[in-house]
Amino acid sequence: MSGVPGDPLEGLPFARSRAVERFEELMFGAIRLEELAEQARKETRKNFGRTMRLFAPLYLSNECLNSCTYCGFSKENPIRRVTLTPEEVEVEAKHLSGVGFRNLLLVSGEHPREVPVSYLVETVRRTVDFFPSVAIEVAPLKSEEYRQIVGAGAEGLVLYQESYDRAAYAEMHVSGPKRNFDERLGGPERGYEAGFRRIGLGVLVGLADWRRELVALAAHVSHLMKVGWRAQVTLALPRLRPAAGGFQPRVAMSDRDFVRAICAFRVTFPQAGIVLSTREPAKLRDGLMELGVTMMSAGSETEPGGYTGVGKGRLHRTVRGREVALEASEWEGAEATEQFEVSDGRSAEELSLVLRQRGLDPVWKDWDRALAE
Amino acid sequence: MATKVSTTKGWKIGDREFHSRLLLGTGKYPSVSMMRAALEASGAEIVTVALRRVDLTGGKDPQADMLEEIDAEKVLVLANTSGAMNAEEAVRLARLAVAAGLPKWIKLEIHPDPRYLLPDPIETLRATEILVKEGFTILPYIQADPVLAKRLEEAGAATVMPLGAPIGSNRGVETRAMIEIIIEQATVPVIVDAGLGAPSHAAEALEMGADAVLINTAIAVAEDPVGMAKAFRMGVEAGRRAYESGLGPTSRMAAATSPLTGFLDE
């Protein structure tokens, strides 16, 4: 297909299905953006109605063993780090529940000692008391570990491949367990088999040629929908933003291409959920509300303890794998360092108002624990 | 002189009598107030509510307060088990609904596939058997499968609700041939559920002899949901009246003249 260099599916265990061909045609073919947007709007309405699901991320820990060039949590960044205790996670969860959220995403860096599976199980157990729907976004785990987390009450798994381009992936993931491309690639299917009901796929736009990445993501979505036919598949295309460590996105994607991609995914996969985070600015988020996006976060904090300030007393830095205390002068007003800068800083309440003004009903609760106990 | 138009006949599910033959779903609306307005305009006496959208803990969660918008004195709230993948999950949801104060009427929806939301016949039959024994009035959403419809009747289902086309597809009565058989054989009301996208589709189902139809997407996502609710109400009434009045036989060709045998009349 014109515009896509090389074979985007080379080295990937995904078939070039009809859906993939359809995606390429919509994304890179002659159809005008306005016409594609109209199709996307119709499909979104038909399949999801005039609604928007809302969710909130809760960062558990910014400790990480990986060194990734684009991520603020990367091991060698001398950032302020902390892992919330399960009690502190509960405080953050209660706060988010009070704000109105009923759909929670637990996020963590990869650190088996600081953030072991038993800890994840414990935090899920504590948060399902306040949230009918809990999902996790952590490093890829083994099937048995996923089963434990599902057993604790989580129903959603978010695991973005970051990049489907093996060369770019190897280059960006300098060291740490995350270097294992295939371990990560197989994660969503292991999660499905372990019983997760909603599975989120995605690429980080900016690591490699986004045209190839989008086609690969389409193939992954298409593949997972076939083998994981009982799962609700969602997808996301977070565009990288500047992060600690001085990262600047490599391959920029224009707003116009981003909107086109959302629309092309919507029309290709009419029933897939499409997630849009606060990485994107308010104007763009508002424009995309009707064009395919079905899940949004709001008022997000992307550091552990960001909502209530819990965990502040244990902030530290990590130097060559060792914890180092903050200097006395650093404590004044210090918070853990965020993963990325939030662009749309509106609160959940403000976003709800905008949704209503646009004739969209904010949906907070769309799941019940009774469905998967 | 204008003659007074008589109303069409009432119908029953179990012992409860209804006059409207239009059931409404409550999802996909731009706001709950719009949903309520469409509901009023439709004249529906039964509305379905997805249990996953409401608070089942009895805590009246303001973030999941759709039930507050529905006047349970005027309409029957029919809880649906959407999201359930198997009989166990559906049974658990049904019991929780009753514990949360909802009527013991359940629209049984068990669809393991979240994309086309097609009903699982095996799990649906199992759940019906369990819930009927517990005294529930069960309205199962099913494929347009005449044998399954009979099996569910035997298991004590209060109605059968075959799909016209996949949920939300607005394609009309694409399963017509099978629904005709279901209607012919049924001893319980047949409600065509899912896939009806226009008032003419609803009229078609009623003309065929379906007892009622359930509409959600076509009304909820219309530019004017209230106007569309009225249109469906009229479509349903027209279809039912036509059925009661006895439609003429249809033929593929015009039958005005008889070119081959006309000489007999000369």
Side-chain angles (χ1 to χ4, degrees):
Chain A
M1 180 60 61
S2 63
V4 187
D7 176 7
L9 303 188
E10 196 185 345
L12 297 173
F14 309 135
R16 178 178 289 282
S17 62
R18 289 291 295 275
V20 176
E21 287 171 4
R22 173 114 181 100
F23 176 79
E24 286 182 319
E25 196 181 306
L26 294 168
M27 186 70 214
F28 308 112
I31 184 170
R32 284 190 315 120
L33 177 58
E34 188 61 26
E35 195 184 324
L36 181 61
E38 180 56 28
Q39 282 184 35
R41 192 175 69 98
K42 279 189 186 150
E43 286 295 343
T44 307
R45 278 202 179 173
K46 197 172 84 179
N47 289 284
F48 295 87
R50 296 199 195 175
T51 63
M52 182 67 68
R53 271 96 184 132
L54 298 176
F55 77 100
L58 194 172
Y59 279 70
L60 305 174
S61 170
N62 57 358
E63 305 272 4
C64 199
L65 289 180
N66 295 306
S67 173
C68 311
T69 56
Y70 55 87
C71 180
F73 293 170
S74 193
K75 186 175 76 174
E76 69 287 340
N77 289 343
I79 61 167
R80 296 179 298 276
R81 298 184 192 262
V82 71
T83 299
L84 301 184
T85 64
E87 292 75 19
E88 289 166 346
V89 172
E90 206 173 308
V91 171
E92 292 264 291
K94 273 184 188 157
H95 170 83
L96 287 169
S97 175
V99 170
F101 289 104
R102 297 293 178 269
N103 186 346
L104 185 69
L105 176 65
L106 299 175
V107 187
S108 175
E110 178 166 16
H111 202 300
R113 185 163 49 80
E114 296 288 337
V115 191
V117 174
S118 57
Y119 166 88
L120 294 173
V121 167
E122 175 67 15
T123 55
V124 169
R125 245 190 219 124
R126 283 173 182 260
T127 50
V128 292
D129 286 343
F130 313 103
F131 288 88
S133 168
V134 174
I136 59 160
E137 182 170 5
V138 301
L141 301 174
K142 300 194 180 349
S143 299
E144 176 46 37
E145 295 170 330
Y146 278 141
R147 270 191 288 276
Q148 289 176 40
I149 289 168
V150 170
E155 51 93 16
L157 171 67
V158 175
L159 184 59
Y160 298 162
Q161 185 60 28
E162 325 293 26
S163 174
Y164 289 95
D165 179 321
R166 284 177 189 269
Y169 188 96
E171 196 183 332
M172 298 289 168
H173 301 100
V174 180
S175 70
K178 196 169 179 177
R179 277 185 68 76
N180 191 335
F181 180 95
D182 291 295
E183 179 73 8
R184 192 170 190 88
L185 196 65
E189 263 176 82
R190 290 198 300 278
Y192 171 71
E193 282 156 16
F196 282 106
R197 306 279 283 260
R198 301 193 195 205
I199 299 185
L201 303 179
V203 286
L204 288 180
V205 176
L207 297 182
D209 188 317
W210 57 262
R211 293 166 298 181
R212 291 164 52 88
E213 301 277 43
L214 296 189
V215 176
L217 176 61
H220 197 175
V221 169
S222 174
H223 172 81
L224 190 63
M225 281 182 166
K226 284 182 188 178
V227 298
W229 65 280
R230 287 184 167 90
Q232 169 75 52
V233 178
T234 65
L235 65 92
L237 316 168
R239 288 192 293 180
L240 278 168
R241 296 182 52 77
F247 175 82
Q248 290 298 326
R250 247 191 180 184
V251 191
M253 180 190 212
S254 69
D255 286 354
R256 201 175 172 79
D257 284 328
F258 183 69
V259 170
R260 189 174 179 103
I262 298 281
C263 293
F265 272 111
R266 165 56 60 234
V267 176
T268 306
F269 303 105
Q271 304 100 339
I274 298 183
V275 184
L276 190 61
S277 81
T278 52
R279 284 172 190 261
E280 297 295 346
K283 185 180 155 205
L284 192 68
R285 296 227 301 166
D286 291 357
L288 282 166
M289 280 172 180
E290 292 201 66
L291 299 185
V293 171
T294 56
M295 257 187 114
M296 295 177 93
S297 49
S300 302
E301 299 289 347
T302 69
E303 72 272 17
Y307 297 108
T308 63
V310 290
K312 270 185 185 175
R314 294 192 314 286
L315 288 176
H316 56 267
R317 299 189 191 282
T318 315
V319 177
R320 284 188 293 278
R322 279 206 206 99
E323 284 190 14
V324 177
L326 298 190
E327 301 286 332
S329 62
E330 288 182 296
W331 282 101
E332 182 68 31
E335 293 178 343
T337 308
E338 72 270 12
Q339 188 184 26
F340 60 86
E341 288 172 36
V342 164
S343 179
D344 181 354
R346 289 174 297 180
S347 69
E349 201 177 332
E350 288 168 319
L351 187 73
S352 299
L353 193 65
V354 174
L355 286 165
R356 288 202 198 93
Q357 281 165 351
R358 288 175 172 257
L360 294 167
D361 192 25
V363 173
W364 305 88
K365 181 179 183 292
D366 186 30
W367 193 257
D368 199 273
R369 275 186 77 191
L371 285 165
E373 270 177 1
Chain B
M1 193 186 83
T3 50
K4 188 171 181 296
V5 178
S6 66
T7 52
T8 54
K9 290 173 194 162
W11 62 297
K12 280 184 171 181
I13 301 176
D15 293 330
R16 187 160 169 166
E17 187 163 9
F18 300 96
H19 294 92
S20 165
R21 293 173 180 273
L22 175 58
L23 287 70
L24 242 58
T26 51
K28 298 187 177 180
Y29 281 90
S31 65
V32 280
S33 54
M34 183 68 85
M35 183 269 289
R36 197 178 48 203
L39 174 56
E40 273 165 26
S42 75
E45 295 167 313
I46 304 175
V47 291
T48 63
V49 173
L51 289 169
R52 64 187 165 137
R53 290 282 305 273
V54 305
D55 181 10
L56 295 176
T57 65
K60 291 196 186 295
D61 185 348
Q63 300 299 96
D65 62 351
M66 186 180 291
L67 289 174
E68 302 292 311
E69 296 292 322
I70 299 169
D71 184 352
E73 299 287 311
K74 283 192 193 159
V75 297
L76 172 69
V77 174
L78 183 60
N80 78 53
T81 59
S82 163
M85 278 191 172
N86 55 46
E88 285 71 29
E89 290 176 6
V91 167
R92 193 158 56 224
L93 273 178
R95 289 173 183 158
L96 280 172
V98 171
L102 287 164
K104 228 173 168 181
W105 287 54
I106 296 291
K107 183 190 169 202
L108 195 58
E109 276 186 47
I110 304 180
H111 36 67
D113 144 41
R115 282 186 283 290
Y116 295 99
L117 308 176
L118 294 170
D120 184 323
I122 299 159
E123 299 296 320
T124 302
L125 181 59
R126 283 183 54 218
T128 301
E129 287 166 349
I130 295 167
L131 290 170
V132 165
K133 280 193 190 118
E134 294 181 13
F136 282 87
T137 300
I138 296 300
L139 295 78
Y141 168 57
I142 58 168
Q143 265 290 355
D145 177 344
V147 174
L148 177 64
K150 292 309 283 182
R151 291 288 304 267
L152 285 163
E153 250 185 68
E154 288 168 3
T159 65
V160 288
M161 304 183 72
L163 58 83
I167 288 184
S169 68
N170 291 344
R171 283 152 74 155
V173 193
E174 292 201 325
T175 55
R176 185 182 174 103
M178 295 301 131
I179 287 183
E180 282 172 345
I181 299 171
I182 291 173
I183 290 169
E184 181 199 326
Q185 296 182 338
T187 60
V188 295
V190 176
I191 303 170
V192 176
D193 180 9
L196 306 185
S200 56
H201 298 153
E204 179 185 355
L206 272 293
E207 285 167 10
M208 286 164 64
D211 294 276
V213 293
L214 190 150
I215 308 292
N216 187 0
T217 305
I219 294 174
V221 310
E223 286 300 322
D224 172 10
V226 172
M228 192 58 83
K230 285 181 191 156
F232 267 96
R233 179 183 194 160
M234 294 159 86
V236 166
E237 285 173 4
R240 180 63 192 180
R241 185 172 298 279
Y243 175 75
E244 287 179 10
S245 306
L247 286 162
T250 58
S251 161
R252 281 190 165 274
M253 285 182 285
T257 57
S258 310
L260 299 180
T261 57
F263 66 91
L264 293 169
D265 299 324
E266 279 169 8

PDB file of all heavy atoms in Angstrom, chain A residues 31 63 121 163 189 199 235 302 304 345:
ATOM      1  N   ILE A  31      -9.559   8.409   0.254  1.00  0.00           N
ATOM      2  CA  ILE A  31     -10.745   8.964   0.915  1.00  0.00           C
ATOM      3  C   ILE A  31     -10.390  10.247   1.670  1.00  0.00           C
ATOM      4  O   ILE A  31      -9.359  10.328   2.342  1.00  0.00           O
ATOM      5  CB  ILE A  31     -11.398   7.928   1.857  1.00  0.00           C
ATOM      6  CG1 ILE A  31     -12.687   8.487   2.468  1.00  0.00           C
ATOM      7  CG2 ILE A  31     -10.444   7.482   2.942  1.00  0.00           C
ATOM      8  CD1 ILE A  31     -13.512   7.459   3.209  1.00  0.00           C
ATOM      9  N   GLU A  63       8.931   3.165  40.484  1.00  0.00           N
ATOM     10  CA  GLU A  63      10.187   2.415  40.496  1.00  0.00           C
ATOM     11  C   GLU A  63      10.243   1.593  39.214  1.00  0.00           C
ATOM     12  O   GLU A  63       9.219   1.040  38.794  1.00  0.00           O
ATOM     13  CB  GLU A  63      10.225   1.427  41.669  1.00  0.00           C
ATOM     14  CG  GLU A  63       9.992   2.063  43.027  1.00  0.00           C
ATOM     15  CD  GLU A  63      11.274   2.553  43.656  1.00  0.00           C
ATOM     16  OE1 GLU A  63      12.341   2.459  42.995  1.00  0.00           O
ATOM     17  OE2 GLU A  63      11.218   3.025  44.793  1.00  0.00           O
ATOM     18  N   VAL A 121      -1.847  -8.000  43.497  1.00  0.00           N
ATOM     19  CA  VAL A 121      -3.053  -8.715  43.918  1.00  0.00           C
ATOM     20  C   VAL A 121      -3.700  -7.965  45.093  1.00  0.00           C
ATOM     21  O   VAL A 121      -4.914  -7.735  45.125  1.00  0.00           O
ATOM     22  CB  VAL A 121      -2.706 -10.169  44.314  1.00  0.00           C
ATOM     23  CG1 VAL A 121      -3.871 -10.830  45.051  1.00  0.00           C
ATOM     24  CG2 VAL A 121      -2.339 -10.977  43.068  1.00  0.00           C
ATOM     25  N   SER A 163       6.225  -0.410  20.591  1.00  0.00           N
ATOM     26  CA  SER A 163       6.583  -0.399  19.168  1.00  0.00           C
ATOM     27  C   SER A 163       6.534  -1.822  18.628  1.00  0.00           C
ATOM     28  O   SER A 163       6.942  -2.761  19.306  1.00  0.00           O
ATOM     29  CB  SER A 163       7.991   0.151  18.962  1.00  0.00           C
ATOM     30  OG  SER A 163       8.355   0.011  17.590  1.00  0.00           O
ATOM     31  N   GLU A 189      -2.558 -12.103  24.917  1.00  0.00           N
ATOM     32  CA  GLU A 189      -3.200 -13.405  24.763  1.00  0.00           C
ATOM     33  C   GLU A 189      -3.142 -14.221  26.055  1.00  0.00           C
ATOM     34  O   GLU A 189      -4.093 -14.904  26.412  1.00  0.00           O
ATOM     35  CB  GLU A 189      -2.516 -14.196  23.633  1.00  0.00           C
ATOM     36  CG  GLU A 189      -3.279 -14.064  22.330  1.00  0.00           C
ATOM     37  CD  GLU A 189      -2.563 -14.760  21.188  1.00  0.00           C
ATOM     38  OE1 GLU A 189      -2.693 -15.983  21.040  1.00  0.00           O
ATOM     39  OE2 GLU A 189      -1.858 -14.047  20.462  1.00  0.00           O
ATOM     40  N   ILE A 199      -9.309  -5.986  27.099  1.00  0.00           N
ATOM     41  CA  ILE A 199      -7.877  -5.980  26.833  1.00  0.00           C
ATOM     42  C   ILE A 199      -7.530  -4.790  25.952  1.00  0.00           C
ATOM     43  O   ILE A 199      -8.122  -4.596  24.888  1.00  0.00           O
ATOM     44  CB  ILE A 199      -7.438  -7.309  26.193  1.00  0.00           C
ATOM     45  CG1 ILE A 199      -7.751  -8.449  27.178  1.00  0.00           C
ATOM     46  CG2 ILE A 199      -5.944  -7.270  25.845  1.00  0.00           C
ATOM     47  CD1 ILE A 199      -7.277  -9.797  26.764  1.00  0.00           C
ATOM     48  N   LEU A 235      -8.163  -0.001  21.982  1.00  0.00           N
ATOM     49  CA  LEU A 235      -6.869   0.374  21.432  1.00  0.00           C
ATOM     50  C   LEU A 235      -6.598   1.843  21.699  1.00  0.00           C
ATOM     51  O   LEU A 235      -7.518   2.621  21.946  1.00  0.00           O
ATOM     52  CB  LEU A 235      -6.809   0.063  19.931  1.00  0.00           C
ATOM     53  CG  LEU A 235      -7.747   0.832  19.005  1.00  0.00           C
ATOM     54  CD1 LEU A 235      -7.068   2.085  18.475  1.00  0.00           C
ATOM     55  CD2 LEU A 235      -8.165  -0.056  17.840  1.00  0.00           C
ATOM     56  N   THR A 302      -0.057  11.559  36.936  1.00  0.00           N
ATOM     57  CA  THR A 302       0.707  10.417  36.441  1.00  0.00           C
ATOM     58  C   THR A 302       1.914  10.132  37.319  1.00  0.00           C
ATOM     59  O   THR A 302       2.927   9.628  36.849  1.00  0.00           O
ATOM     60  CB  THR A 302       1.145  10.631  34.970  1.00  0.00           C
ATOM     61  OG1 THR A 302       2.131  11.669  34.942  1.00  0.00           O
ATOM     62  CG2 THR A 302      -0.018  11.001  34.085  1.00  0.00           C
ATOM     63  N   PRO A 304       2.849   8.468  41.444  1.00  0.00           N
ATOM     64  CA  PRO A 304       2.251   7.813  42.605  1.00  0.00           C
ATOM     65  C   PRO A 304       1.977   8.831  43.704  1.00  0.00           C
ATOM     66  O   PRO A 304       2.832   9.661  44.012  1.00  0.00           O
ATOM     67  CB  PRO A 304       3.321   6.807  43.056  1.00  0.00           C
ATOM     68  CG  PRO A 304       4.421   6.863  42.072  1.00  0.00           C
ATOM     69  CD  PRO A 304       4.202   7.987  41.138  1.00  0.00           C
ATOM     70  N   GLY A 345      -5.561  19.399  31.290  1.00  0.00           N
ATOM     71  CA  GLY A 345      -5.603  19.391  32.751  1.00  0.00           C
ATOM     72  C   GLY A 345      -6.995  19.558  33.331  1.00  0.00           C
ATOM     73  O   GLY A 345      -7.142  19.746  34.532  1.00  0.00           O
TER      74      GLY A 345
END
